[in-house]
Amino acid sequence: MMDLQTFAPGSGLLEPRAALRSDAPALDLNGMWRFRFSQNVNVHEDFAEPSFDDSDWDSLPVPSHWNLHGHGAPAYTNVDFPIPIDPPRVPDENPTGDYRRVFDLPEGWTGGRLRFEGAESFARVWLNGHELGFWTGSRLPAEFDAGPYLRPGRNVLAVRVHQWSAATYLEDQDMWWLPGIFRDVTLTRSTADVFVRASYADGRGTLSFEGDGTLSVPELGVADLAPGAEVSVEVEPWTAETPRLYDAVVTFPEETVRLRIGFRTISIVDGVLLANGRPLLFKGVNRHEFHPEHGRAVPYETMREDVLLMKRHNVNAVRTSHYPPHPDFLDLCDELGLWVIDECDLETHGFGEVGWRANPTDDPRYADALLDRMRRMVERDKNHPSVIMWSLGNEAGVGRNLAIMADWTRARDSSRPIHYEGDRSCAHTDVYSRMYASHAEVEAIGRREEAPLDDPALDARRRAMPFMQCEYAHAMGNGPGGLAEYQELFERYPRLAGGFIWEWIDHGLAHPTYEYAYGGDYGEPVHDSNFVIDGLVFPDRTPSPGLHDLKKVFEPVRFEFGDGVVRVVNGHGFRDLSHLEFVATIEADGDTVAEHRLAVPAEGGEVKLPPPPAGDGEPWVTVRAVLAADQPWAAAGHEVAWGQAPLELFPSPVAPATPAAGDAPVRAVLDGREHHVLGGAAFDAATGRLVRLFGTEVEGPRLDLWRAPTDNDTYGGLAGTWRRLGLHRLTHRVDAVEAGDGLTVRTRVAPAATDLGMRATYTWAAVGGGLELTVDIEPEGDWADPIPRLGLNMTLPVGTVEHVTWFGRGPGEAYPDTGMSARVGRWRASIDELQTPYVFPQENGHRADVRWADFGAFKVRGYPVFGLTARPWSVAELDRARHRPDLVPGDRLHIGLDLAQQGIGTATCGPGALPAYDLRAGRTTFRLRFEPS
């Protein structure tokens, strides 16, 4: 029985080397393997014998995770280990998978290496009954010498994978626990290794390499360059904006490898991070490897889709949280252009729950394992121009082993800075990195006015470093808020190198009942619920509103509007604007009245806007920057950036009319009850409630303060405060219904068990064939905390409204500190399209700054604007739901007409809404007009 408690990183392993494209013969061993699952390790090892009969075993695809194919179940934790913290020991109940693969060796084949790209967490390998060794380091390659044990014809490869081992304590990385062989398996005769060094300065590249053989770059006229020799050539530099690559060939006696070289230099000068001598600003995302059906066994097509989506949304950088990705992903980053922070397969976060006692980062017994992980990452990925920084790991505390990792890495590769966030002293790093620092703290750091360290020498060293947020703006559920304010700070202070949003994708596993599962949906005794649903794209990779906002915030072009002109500002770091075309569109009430191409200089500058034609309606000018020609990551016409401004050239919207004297409601009996009839509407005489509007049966509107809490509301604590106040169970009281020149209804809205309340007076007036509503709101009591919402609720029979057309911001949702991607225009959407399908249901779909909305049955106009939601379920039903299928349309359509909403913030991790976006109770007036459609 193998000792799973060993601290050793492996046995029988060959030296790590670069991932290369070789013409050496290779056999792809992916595909269907025979598989046997056991709940513990007490299973005989005779399965490794070639003669073993596995005919009654199951079949399992490789790469894959066995618990996504009916063997055991997934489990999700963020920080907590799902096993007792007792390193290096692990439980007896240790899910184990035995794999067998029979393959035929081509005639004449000699020698070879078995290469495994990834398996979690402890794998032991046999070939034809001979044990080759074992390895740990789940997301790193391992190679074994297969040559002595290969046979002509039939060969049997056997692998035993254990879920838990001493290495598990190094892999607590806020993700699903998914064991198995989940990356490629290959038999290869390639033995080549090469380390290309390609720097850039002042229009020239310097090229050399380590290894055997000779290097040629035909496009540069470089032929048969010897190892250690150096050549200077005129080149175009590699950047994420201009990912120029040169095809190279390294010729060895037994094989030829091809790689793509990018010339670039990363440096730090006066505390500023530079690429090729220019400031480098990360507009980044953190990316776990994830697919809703395949877990971390991500297909190549999906990896490419990820990179294309990032590029199309103005993302320029990726942090590979929290392990090296599949090597194909880095090839894509080289080709299409993304800066990459490559992170070691290390996180020990759960030790923080026990005061960091016995943390492997400071345990000398784990030193070899941690160094081994760093070496295997650096050696595998050293030739990628996209990789511009090495990260020692994530949330692994502090300890002596960090120095061992950093010292070796600097000695091996001094061309890339070293990153690690978990040690505030930055004793072993070249950049100062933090997670979820507030806007105020980021500004202080930008000014170099952060709180000092106790050690003056370390403090001075850290103040001389660039600063980056390796995680910020937690993209969980509705949000994140505060993106624009962070970006403004990053661009204002040269020391700030930007940051990486947490994170790219919601880790929802496809589920037959829940649609997408999260923590606890598989009966895990220890889990972190929906905290794994925290991405900018939904599990199916549909962009969320947060990603649309991020695209807007990360735009590499800015537009500043003045008197008849627009100033176009180039925000690219490494290219001009010549690859873009600029189009100015003038609209009135959402109708296009003019469109012009703008002649913008390549360096940017001020451009005169054409005068709009005369007309009616609210006028807006929108300038768009689009690709002038196809790019590898998007087609011509793709919108890169846009800006918008109002034009004071047309008549202003008509102000609400003053009701004519004597416009009094008429008493009438409808459906056996007394009603007031006014301006095409009917009101219940006893309650003053609107019951019919221009022939449509309605209920409401009435004041409400509640919204279904967002994840940020919940995890940030506001939702708990609101529930303790009872804002989700308001009571309504009518104090008076007064018919005169119009209709006045006086009410009080309040939660039980408190003296807090809101006086709401509704004044209805018949105006020009419609109804004007004025709602005067006056709070009573000490409202110390922000409130979730201030708005009116109405319901209609289902089917009354199929689509909504509105003039305001759209097409997507927007809240006080989100919705930067929503522009003013005329939009149309079905009721289904008005919902944002967050995996964990919550407040969503709010359209902001609506001037008017047409529901088909009637039209609502704001004075000046209002917020709009329209849902086939109530706020209470949305609040109760835990998965999308919980939301079942009822027999009423629920319409929200909002005066204001509380900001969103990013309090699931990080700060809540900025004070400017807090919704505080106060005296206010809300005015709307209802008209026939």
Side-chain angles (χ1 to χ4, degrees):
M1 184 65 62
M2 191 68 206
D3 182 9
L4 299 177
Q5 299 172 176
T6 179
F7 292 98
S11 67
L13 290 166
L14 297 171
E15 283 294 300
R17 63 191 181 108
L20 297 167
R21 306 288 183 186
S22 172
D23 66 355
L27 288 180
D28 180 358
L29 297 181
N30 292 343
M32 298 304 294
W33 291 44
R34 304 298 286 172
F35 179 77
R36 177 179 65 188
F37 175 72
S38 306
Q39 283 289 1
N40 55 57
V41 299
N42 297 316
V43 182
H44 201 276
E45 296 169 358
D46 59 354
F47 81 98
E49 294 299 322
S51 60
F52 182 85
D53 181 5
D54 60 15
S55 60
D56 62 344
W57 284 21
D58 293 324
S59 293
L60 185 73
V62 170
S64 75
H65 303 281
W66 68 60
N67 46 12
L68 298 184
H69 291 266
H71 305 286
Y76 165 66
T77 63
N78 170 22
V79 176
D80 294 328
F81 282 100
I83 61 173
I85 301 175
D86 186 23
R89 291 165 286 276
V90 295
D92 292 338
E93 186 174 313
N94 189 346
T96 296
D98 291 331
Y99 295 78
R100 282 172 54 92
R101 175 74 154 86
V102 176
F103 63 93
D104 291 325
L105 203 64
E107 186 174 348
W109 183 292
T110 58
R113 297 178 170 203
L114 276 168
R115 184 177 177 94
F116 296 83
E117 296 294 344
E120 183 177 326
S121 73
F122 183 109
R124 190 175 171 198
V125 184
W126 295 262
L127 179 62
N128 294 321
H130 298 277
E131 183 172 353
L132 301 183
F134 77 92
W135 90 95
T136 62
S138 298
R139 285 149 281 277
L140 288 160
E143 283 191 328
F144 299 92
D145 185 5
Y149 310 107
L150 287 168
R151 301 172 180 174
R154 182 179 185 268
N155 287 261
V156 178
L157 175 60
V159 183
R160 171 165 285 181
V161 179
H162 303 286
Q163 180 163 14
W164 310 127
S165 69
T168 298
Y169 293 105
L170 308 180
E171 298 177 2
D172 184 25
Q173 288 139 320
D174 185 10
M175 59 188 181
W176 292 98
W177 296 91
L178 296 172
I181 303 173
F182 66 94
R183 287 187 185 162
D184 308 290
V185 183
T186 309
L187 176 65
T188 177
R189 282 169 51 183
S190 172
T191 61
D193 191 18
V194 63
F195 188 178
V196 173
R197 301 180 184 270
S199 59
Y200 175 85
D202 301 323
R204 299 194 67 82
T206 301
L207 177 65
S208 63
F209 80 102
E210 298 176 21
D212 298 325
T214 60
L215 183 146
S216 300
V217 188
E219 186 178 357
L220 297 176
V222 176
D224 300 327
L225 186 69
E230 186 175 278
V231 62
S232 175
V233 287
E234 186 175 342
V235 296
E236 299 172 47
W238 188 98
T239 75
E241 295 171 2
T242 57
R244 182 66 162 93
L245 294 170
Y246 294 87
D247 292 324
V249 177
V250 184
T251 304
F252 297 87
E254 300 295 329
E255 63 182 299
T256 298
V257 300
R258 299 184 179 274
L259 66 160
R260 308 186 77 185
I261 295 174
F263 291 84
R264 55 104 186 99
T265 295
I266 306 300
S267 59
I268 296 170
V269 178
D270 295 330
V272 179
L273 182 66
L274 305 176
N276 304 330
R278 295 186 179 184
L280 173 55
L281 185 65
F282 293 127
K283 300 177 180 180
V285 296
N286 285 275
R287 176 188 176 269
H288 267 296
E289 293 192 304
F290 183 77
H291 188 282
E293 283 88 29
H294 308 303
R296 284 186 287 282
V298 181
Y300 175 81
E301 296 76 16
T302 303
M303 295 183 216
R304 188 173 187 88
E305 180 184 350
D306 275 346
V307 176
L308 292 175
L309 265 178
M310 290 174 190
K311 293 288 290 186
R312 291 168 186 166
H313 288 84
N314 296 326
V315 170
N316 74 0
V318 170
R319 175 176 172 235
T320 68
S321 54
H322 298 293
Y323 42 83
H326 192 288
D328 286 348
F329 181 78
L330 296 179
D331 288 338
L332 289 166
C333 294
D334 292 344
E335 173 194 343
L336 296 169
L338 289 172
W339 309 106
V340 176
I341 296 181
D342 203 359
E343 192 147 88
C344 188
D345 191 5
L346 170 63
E347 181 167 335
T348 65
H349 202 172
F351 284 87
E353 301 299 288
V354 295
W356 297 104
R357 292 188 299 276
N359 183 20
T361 307
D362 197 40
D363 186 338
R365 297 175 297 175
Y366 273 105
D368 288 346
L370 269 61
L371 179 57
D372 173 76
R373 289 171 183 238
M374 199 71 194
R375 289 182 65 233
R376 283 156 67 192
M377 175 181 71
V378 170
E379 297 295 353
R380 191 196 74 168
D381 298 340
K382 59 197 173 190
N383 294 312
H384 289 282
S386 59
V387 175
I388 51 88
M389 200 176 291
W390 301 117
S391 178
L392 303 179
N394 181 69
E395 293 177 323
V398 297
R400 68 195 81 181
N401 294 333
L402 294 175
I404 295 171
M405 299 166 72
D407 290 347
W408 179 88
T409 303
R410 283 196 179 88
R412 181 63 175 133
D413 177 24
S414 61
S415 71
R416 295 174 171 101
I418 292 177
H419 168 274
Y420 179 68
E421 179 273 338
D423 182 357
R424 291 282 181 92
S425 76
C426 299
H428 311 295
T429 68
D430 301 303
V431 295
Y432 177 22
S433 178
R434 286 285 305 282
M435 292 182 182
Y436 308 108
S438 68
H439 299 81
E441 186 176 5
V442 169
E443 180 163 18
I445 294 170
R447 295 172 183 259
R448 303 185 190 276
E449 296 173 356
E450 66 265 32
L453 295 169
D454 292 336
D455 185 319
L458 285 175
D459 183 68
R461 181 175 179 274
R462 194 180 74 175
R463 285 181 198 277
M465 291 179 175
F467 173 80
M468 53 172 278
Q469 289 245 59
C470 65
E471 295 179 21
Y472 79 108
H474 200 253
M476 186 172 176
N478 187 334
L483 287 173
E485 291 80 4
Y486 273 123
Q487 192 64 25
E488 191 279 328
L489 293 170
F490 295 155
E491 295 179 5
R492 192 196 317 170
Y493 296 103
R495 184 190 187 191
L496 305 182
F500 297 80
I501 305 294
W502 186 266
E503 67 156 307
W504 176 242
I505 188 169
D506 285 344
H507 296 200
L509 288 171
H511 193 281
T513 302
Y514 302 131
E515 185 178 12
Y516 293 113
Y518 49 75
D521 286 339
Y522 296 97
E524 308 100 294
V526 177
H527 65 84
D528 284 288
S529 188
N530 67 317
F531 215 73
V532 76
I533 307 296
D534 52 5
L536 291 161
V537 297
F538 298 130
D540 64 358
R541 285 176 162 76
T542 299
S544 75
L547 183 58
H548 292 305
D549 279 358
L550 195 72
K551 177 184 178 182
K552 179 64 180 166
V553 169
F554 281 177
E555 283 178 346
V557 183
R558 296 280 191 266
F559 302 95
E560 300 171 357
F561 293 88
D563 185 14
V565 299
V566 59
R567 182 169 178 261
V568 182
V569 180
N570 182 17
H572 293 90
F574 304 92
R575 71 185 312 179
D576 61 23
L577 302 178
S578 58
H579 65 297
L580 300 174
E581 291 182 346
F582 294 84
V583 182
T585 303
I586 296 175
E587 296 176 313
D589 275 7
D591 291 325
T592 298
V593 296
E595 187 167 282
H596 306 272
R597 299 279 172 175
L598 300 181
V600 176
E603 67 277 8
E606 196 171 274
V607 181
K608 187 174 180 59
L609 291 170
D616 294 324
E618 184 180 342
W620 285 80
V621 59
T622 304
V623 180
R624 302 167 59 242
V626 301
L627 291 178
D630 290 348
Q631 297 289 325
W633 47 272
H638 167 78
E639 184 178 278
V640 172
W642 61 273
Q644 191 177 56
L647 294 176
E648 302 300 330
L649 300 174
F650 296 131
S652 299
V654 178
T658 301
D663 245 352
V666 176
R667 299 277 290 196
V669 177
L670 304 173
D671 301 325
R673 290 177 60 88
E674 287 282 332
H675 289 77
H676 295 294
V677 177
L678 177 70
F683 301 82
D684 185 286
T687 65
R689 296 280 294 279
L690 178 66
V691 296
R692 189 169 298 278
L693 181 63
F694 311 126
T696 299
E697 185 259 307
V698 301
E699 184 177 350
R702 72 175 184 177
L703 181 67
D704 195 21
L705 308 179
W706 185 242
R707 71 182 185 195
T710 67
D711 287 324
N712 287 298
D713 295 336
T714 298
Y715 285 90
L718 269 180
T721 298
W722 295 337
R723 289 189 196 278
R724 286 190 296 273
L725 286 175
L727 300 187
H728 60 306
R729 47 172 175 78
L730 295 176
T731 61
H732 297 260
R733 187 183 76 215
V734 177
D735 290 336
V737 179
E738 303 167 356
D741 292 338
L743 185 70
T744 299
V745 183
R746 305 185 188 279
T747 70
R748 187 175 191 270
V749 179
T754 177
D755 62 355
L756 298 177
M758 294 278 187
R759 293 282 182 181
T761 301
Y762 304 81
T763 302
W764 295 92
V767 179
L771 274 174
E772 182 184 322
L773 170 63
T774 301
V775 184
D776 293 302
I777 300 167
E778 183 175 357
E780 295 181 338
D782 182 12
W783 291 82
D785 299 294
I787 59 176
R789 171 177 169 247
L790 197 61
L792 305 176
N793 289 346
M794 296 177 62
T795 71
L796 291 75
V798 70
T800 304
V801 178
E802 300 294 339
H803 290 81
V804 180
T805 302
W806 75 97
F807 177 48
R809 290 170 61 199
E813 70 183 25
Y815 292 83
D817 54 347
T818 72
M820 288 73 71
S821 62
R823 66 189 82 179
V824 175
R826 182 187 296 176
W827 312 101
R828 186 174 188 267
S830 69
I831 298 302
D832 284 346
E833 290 167 342
L834 287 171
Q835 318 311 307
T836 303
Y838 293 113
V839 171
F840 189 96
Q842 56 198 277
E843 166 64 38
N844 73 89
H846 178 267
R847 269 56 180 185
D849 295 335
V850 175
R851 280 74 167 160
W852 55 259
D854 193 338
F855 296 91
F858 56 87
K859 192 172 184 178
V860 181
R861 188 180 298 276
Y863 293 103
V865 295
F866 62 95
L868 167 68
T869 58
R871 302 183 178 116
W873 35 74
S874 68
V875 174
E877 290 167 326
L878 185 59
D879 188 8
R880 287 194 296 269
R882 293 296 174 265
H883 296 87
R884 290 179 187 173
D886 295 341
L887 291 168
V888 179
D891 59 0
R892 305 290 293 182
L893 177 67
H894 299 262
I895 294 174
L897 307 172
D898 289 354
L899 175 62
Q901 287 250 0
Q902 165 67 11
I904 297 297
T906 178
T908 49
C909 250
L914 288 165
Y917 304 118
D918 279 342
L919 176 57
R920 299 285 178 176
R923 295 187 64 173
T924 190
T925 297
F926 189 21
R927 301 180 74 184
L928 298 170
R929 181 171 175 174
F930 297 83
E931 304 168 348
S933 290

